[in-house]
Amino acid sequence: MEESVKLKETFEIEKQYGAFYTGGTVLWTMDGTRFLCRDEHKINIISMRSMEIERVIGKSEEGSEDIIYTFILTSNDDFLISAHRSGLLKLWDFMSGELKKTWRNLHRGPISCLQYCSNLDILASGGADSLIRIWDFKNQVCKGTLKGIQGVVSAMAFHPTENILIGAGDDANIYAWNLDSREIVKTFSGHISRVTSISFSFDSKSFISSSRDKVMILWDYEHEKQIRTIPVYESIECAIVLPYNIQLPNNIELNDESKVYVASAGEEGIIKVWQANEAKILYKQASSVISRASEEGGLAVTQMLFNQQLQQITLVSYDHNIIVHDISTFECAKQLIGFTDEILDLVLMGKTNQYLAMATNSNDIKVYDTYTMNSKILKGHTDIVLALATYKNYLLSSSKDHSIRLWKADFDTFTFECIGVGSKHTNAVGSVDMSKATSSFFASVSQDQCLKLWKFPKMIEMIDDEIPQLLCINTQLAHEKDINCVTISPNDRYIATASQDKTAKMWDANDLKLIGVFRGHRRGVWTVRFSPVDQVIVTSAADCTMRLWNITDMTCLKSFEGHESSVLRCEFVSNGMQLISSGADGLIKLWTIKSSECIQTIEKHESKVWTLAITEDEKLLYSGGADSTLIKWRDMTEIKKREELKKKQEEVLHEQELNNYLHQKQMLKALKLALRLNRPNMTLKIINTIIRNQEEGLDVTIESLSEFHKQQLLQHAVNWNTNSRNCKPAQLVFNIMLQEILSGKYKVQGLGKIIEDALPYSDRHFKRMTEYLKDLKFVEYTMRCMQPYGGDVAMK
């Protein structure tokens, strides 16, 4: 009987998603199509259309990692200038990524900020040495050094019309320097803490400054005095003067050109728009996906960017997320997650498994649209989210905050709403699962050693915008130690749990009555899963093994060994005929249950692989772990089989073609084909035939070969040369190839190794032929000496 389910044999990487932003500077191109994000020693350019890395600037070919401190774009995004830990400033062509110039920055210590002046085409660099240097970067010339700041330079801005630079440092004062005389011409004192940003108004008569002293100050630049001090009651990291003729929500228009409008963001994680002249707040963002700073004066937002062409404003969060808002509605247009940290769990959602929910080492859940890689951040938990489960458009999450949350997704608008909270556990909730057949309940397990059943809410009623509590319908003290995993059987009749007490247990889903205990593992059990078709379960444990159990008599049917560390996750695939597992050794293994054989080992992750998620059609596999890398794998079994079948068919055709050439005595054509098919014995036979028939054109044929085939022929000749019977064709090939090498027509790879292999045997052949030649000359001499006597004897 032919198998209806085809077994998998090969998974290959389709895409790999790692960190593209690890903190520091973020820039937005003028046309709004790209973000530039710092990633230690390189700059990743992120396409807003594909939400993926378009190209990389600054990656060293030699593998050396020169950490980038900060960078800036010049006018029209023509060039990019970066400051490095090596003490260098580097000028790059932005579009091509080509390094144009490199020069020493002359600072004693790191460069903290860069600023570019389009009017003067100069660059200012502020460092930790309290100095600001002015550069003609095209000629790598320092045009001057500005002194006066105390501490690290924190903010700089060029005056829009005058030859003036203003800057600030740790001393909370703002200074203005004349770039010609390099003298301080104005000092603005008012802040009592570090100044974080400076932004000029459009009439150049005033500027706004923000600080961590919880105020913004609007300054009269000409008269060197404060126009207005704006108490904002939060540490402000960035403030930007907004242009006129902008429409805000609630029909608020910024059209009074006698006023200065400012957008600010700080420790609250939200955007506020101010009319600075009167210290009046015009608009305050109602909610944000960026959490408020955990402590007073802490960081929530590190940067704010405004793109006038798109009328969008972007916040960069402390946890490396980039949130883009349409300024007319302040709705989130796009979210980019720059760094995911450790990936703890993955689940797929949607009819076509289009959406991927991810639990990382964070309080937030991250959901990706896998088609566009646009993302959503779900906030609600107050501690790290540990586990996820899904059914249709519902998502269940559990956390270290002792609670579970039920979310409802609207995939048409890509929005999620929390519709229930369960808080009956007394410790971290490590695993959850949802019923599939009846969708009437879900289960959770915790470090409090309890298994709980929860009723799926039929009606969702929000009272005063408060999230309703989920109803716990049953509780069982299930294990003696922390419970790592819970899973519900496909028919919703049974529940299985796995614990650190080295056992797995099966329960009746109706009343949580214990049905049986699975004993045999020598360490804590990490995962338990029901087979989709058979009455068996599989468990994986810290003893580096997986075990297959019969659920009727609780006996162990098979044990799978192969991982070198704890097996953290295992799943049934191929309709229960195969297993796929991941471990703390960073390996993913594919097993065939019938033969207990591991048919593929995938080694791509650099650390523990905590989680696996497989699409319903099992064509795609997602894996994530402690290396903060999400990898998308594709089942290539059928494709590989088709390729192998096609290759075999081509080999048969080529074999027939080769036989035809040999039959027709077209040896030179046969030689080309034999090399293409990598047949060294056939190639030797053909060359011997050419030599025997004294056929001309061998040198022309070898000359017409590709470099790959020449390399192959040369390697064959080295192997032939080891046998004295085949030294003649080998030496003939050496002779022809040597002429090509000496003439420069062919550059051989690994020439030293080839000479090393060929020379001893060639020397031996030469000595042997020399001895043969001596013997031949002696025979000739003897025959000549005998000829006269032979002639006399014949006459007698």
Side-chain angles (χ1 to χ4, degrees), residues 97 103 158 216 230 404 417 422 454 538 555 577 615 665 694 697-698 733 776:
W103 69 98
F158 282 98
M216 294 190 300
I230 308 167
I404 63 173
E417 180 186 10
W454 306 80
V538 66
T555 56
M577 299 174 67
T615 57
K665 300 188 182 304
Q694 297 184 350
L698 180 61
V733 170
L776 181 60

Side-chain angles (χ1 to χ4, degrees), residues 323-339:
I323 317 297
V324 183
H325 299 86
D326 288 321
I327 201 166
S328 59
T329 61
F330 268 89
E331 292 182 356
C332 181
K334 288 188 176 180
Q335 298 180 25
L336 290 85
I337 298 169
F339 180 64

Side-chain angles (χ1 to χ4, degrees), residues 22 32 176 211 217 248 370 417 452 459 664 680 716 720-721 774:
T22 55
S211 172
I217 300 178
L248 297 180
T370 58
E417 180 186 10
K452 291 183 182 289
M459 298 292 292
Q664 296 167 9
H716 291 339
W720 302 338
N721 197 47
K774 284 181 181 178

Side-chain angles (χ1 to χ4, degrees), residues 376-429:
K376 286 286 182 183
I377 299 174
L378 311 186
K379 292 189 168 295
H381 286 289
T382 57
D383 207 337
I384 293 172
V385 178
L386 297 174
L388 302 170
T390 184
Y391 177 67
K392 293 185 177 178
N393 62 330
Y394 292 96
L395 177 67
L396 186 65
S397 61
S398 67
S399 168
K400 279 188 176 181
D401 62 9
H402 307 177
S403 73
I404 63 173
R405 283 179 175 260
L406 183 64
W407 309 78
K408 186 176 182 180
D410 183 349
F411 296 123
D412 293 332
T413 58
F414 195 24
T415 56
F416 294 80
E417 180 186 10
C418 183
I419 60 174
V421 177
S423 52
K424 296 294 184 181
H425 283 287
T426 59
N427 212 325
V429 186

Side-chain angles (χ1 to χ4, degrees), residues 182-196:
R182 297 191 289 280
E183 297 291 334
I184 295 176
V185 293
K186 295 178 187 292
T187 302
F188 302 87
S189 300
H191 288 291
I192 58 173
S193 185
R194 178 186 174 94
V195 177
T196 54

